[in-house]
Amino acid sequence: MSATTPASVPAAAGPGPVPAAAGPVQAFQPAGRAPGSAPGSGSGPHPGLPSSGRDRYLDLLRTTALVRVVFYHLFGWAWLSIVFPSMGVMFALAGSLMARSLSRPALGVIRGRVRRLLPPMWAFGALMVGMMAYAGWRPSVTKVLLYLVPVGAPPYPDSLGSASGWLDLDWPDQAVGPLWYLRAYLWFVLLSPLLLRAFRRLPWPTLLAPLALTAVVGTGLMTVPGEPGLALTDFAVYGSCWILGFAHQDGLLKKVPRYFLVSCAVPVMAFGLWWAHGHLGPDGWDLNDIPLAQATWSFGACALLLAYAPSWRQLPPRLARFDKVITLTNNRAVTIYLWHNALIMATVPVVDQLYNVPFIEGRFDSALTATYNVWMFLAVWPLIGLTVLAVGWIEDLAAGRGPRLWPDGARRARARE
């Protein structure tokens, strides 16, 4: 399912590894032709917290989800989709925040969410569309409009450029492909007033309805072609996670005895693994290729993570050392998600230059090739940091705040001292 399958990372021409054709995420393998989650940066607090406070546990979950997405797109390890269902977690957290915000007039809330999403996307889209146009892509006006308002996943050509270029021919898929998440997020935001009203009238049927829809559209029982089918499948797969955010914000999960919740969530997750075992995709246990397994596993995992949410006003001492990182990633979640895959691609020509270092050339080529992904991993984080400095402030302008270059909370902490 291309809409929910992150893209692999293209490689540069030269001595470094080269990815296979476009398709599901695959990790780099140095020998031969090798194969290659966010909007809503604020966190909705637990009902017990004051309306102005942040729930640092939810902030920690969002940071973990974003870091896991980067790991997944870089290394392509299928088991990461099981260890931590990042996309389900990000939708659940966004749903919780949306339910909290809808205590205000719905139209103003939707307008605010859309305003926060679009300017950072416009900056990213301007560069991507410009690069693709320079390489020969001639999109129609309709296609360009989807980079302005992503009611559909922004389109891109299947291949572009030259085989002798720095990037693989499928680089647009790698850079733009993950933007399916923005389309899904936008539709969840637009539909949230109706979904929240339905949830508060019929909580359990509303919560479970997307899972039932996934059993229909995500298993081949009913096929909807094209972009509408991809959008419907994404809505079905992650809809229950979004509505779980409603349940968390309204305190419904706290009303369910934990032993009962666990006794329901664990079998649902077990069903997801059982279904995945019988319907393995091209990358084996990668749940992104198996909609019903992704939906049930993510739903059960998010239910447990939210039901046991400790609602921290501050991070506990063992995690306090990561406070600035967690604050920064939450304040720049949109920027990090938008740019991370393109920046992973940008590491390839950078790392390839190591082959030209005199000390390495001809002596340690094989060692460098064997550890290529590690060098990419080390290179991508400085690039993400530079991107946060360069364009992250657009998130502040979109939210109606003064621009900040590095909002890690350090200034606020000094002000309290």
Side-chain angles (χ1 to χ4, degrees):
M1 182 179 62
S2 60
T4 56
T5 302
S8 58
V9 181
V18 182
V25 166
Q26 294 178 320
F28 275 99
Q29 298 174 1
R33 285 190 59 83
S37 271
S41 60
S43 64
H46 182 270
L49 290 179
S51 60
S52 60
R54 292 185 67 91
D55 189 328
R56 299 299 278 164
Y57 173 74
L58 300 189
D59 286 350
L60 174 63
L61 288 182
R62 184 176 290 105
T63 297
T64 304
L66 285 170
V67 172
R68 204 284 280 161
V69 166
V70 175
F71 266 85
Y72 176 70
H73 281 169
L74 202 160
F75 292 100
W77 294 328
W79 52 266
L80 284 174
S81 65
I82 298 175
V83 170
F84 194 83
S86 284
M87 304 315 296
V89 168
M90 288 198 288
F91 280 120
L93 298 180
S96 178
L97 178 62
M98 192 68 187
R100 177 195 181 191
S101 299
L102 283 173
S103 59
R104 306 192 301 272
L107 184 60
V109 172
I110 292 174
R111 184 167 54 243
R113 288 291 178 274
V114 173
R115 186 186 67 233
R116 291 186 180 205
L117 172 67
L118 293 185
M121 181 178 174
W122 292 340
F124 178 79
L127 179 61
M128 291 298 109
V129 172
M131 289 177 61
M132 290 187 290
Y134 178 79
W137 188 46
R138 297 295 179 264
S140 65
V141 174
T142 303
K143 291 182 178 180
V144 173
L145 288 177
L146 291 177
Y147 283 86
L148 299 178
V149 183
V151 292
Y156 49 85
D158 293 332
S159 63
L160 195 63
S162 169
S164 60
W166 276 37
L167 297 176
D168 196 57
L169 293 176
D170 67 344
W171 68 266
D173 180 48
Q174 321 310 321
V176 180
L179 297 191
W180 69 267
Y181 174 74
L182 301 189
R183 178 252 288 140
Y185 174 83
L186 178 61
W187 277 108
F188 277 127
V189 166
L190 295 175
L191 295 173
S192 278
L194 295 177
L195 291 173
L196 185 58
R197 184 179 303 175
F199 171 74
R200 287 174 174 168
R201 290 185 178 181
L202 298 169
W204 296 110
T206 305
L207 182 61
L208 299 175
L211 294 179
L213 181 60
T214 306
V216 176
V217 300
T219 60
L221 290 179
M222 184 181 75
T223 301
V224 179
E227 173 65 22
L230 298 177
L232 180 62
T233 301
D234 291 335
F235 178 87
V237 169
Y238 297 108
S240 287
C241 293
W242 185 274
I243 298 171
L244 267 176
F246 295 172
H248 170 73
Q249 179 61 37
D250 283 3
L252 178 63
L253 295 180
K254 296 297 182 182
K255 297 178 182 178
V256 179
R258 284 186 176 178
Y259 74 87
F260 180 75
L261 189 146
V262 172
S263 65
C264 293
V266 171
V268 170
M269 296 171 70
F271 170 81
L273 294 182
W274 172 81
W275 182 266
H277 179 265
H279 301 80
L280 297 179
D283 294 303
W285 283 88
D286 192 335
L287 300 188
N288 293 289
D289 300 326
I290 316 169
L292 185 57
Q294 177 75 289
T296 50
W297 180 262
S298 297
F299 175 75
C302 289
L304 295 177
L305 289 171
L306 293 179
Y308 283 85
S311 301
W312 295 325
R313 295 173 184 269
Q314 294 181 338
L315 292 171
R318 287 181 297 178
L319 297 174
R321 72 186 69 177
F322 303 110
D323 184 83
K324 291 181 181 179
V325 173
I326 292 170
T327 301
L328 179 66
T329 53
N330 276 267
N331 283 323
R332 293 294 180 258
V334 178
T335 299
I336 293 171
Y337 186 84
L338 279 172
W339 292 88
H340 77 276
N341 225 35
L343 295 175
I344 289 174
M345 289 190 302
T347 66
V348 175
V350 173
V351 175
D352 277 350
Q353 298 308 307
L354 293 176
Y355 287 96
N356 299 323
V357 175
F359 178 73
I360 295 177
E361 187 176 13
R363 298 179 181 179
F364 299 100
D365 284 5
S366 59
L368 177 57
T369 301
T371 58
Y372 199 93
N373 282 68
V374 176
W375 294 103
M376 290 177 64
F377 174 79
L378 295 175
V380 74
W381 298 108
L383 292 180
I384 289 175
L386 290 174
T387 303
V388 166
L389 288 171
V391 298
W393 51 269
I394 297 175
E395 290 194 55
D396 293 325
L397 296 183
R401 297 188 296 261
R404 300 168 294 173
L405 289 180
W406 197 257
D408 63 355
R411 180 179 300 179
R412 186 175 65 249
R414 288 193 296 267
R416 290 198 301 264
E417 293 176 353

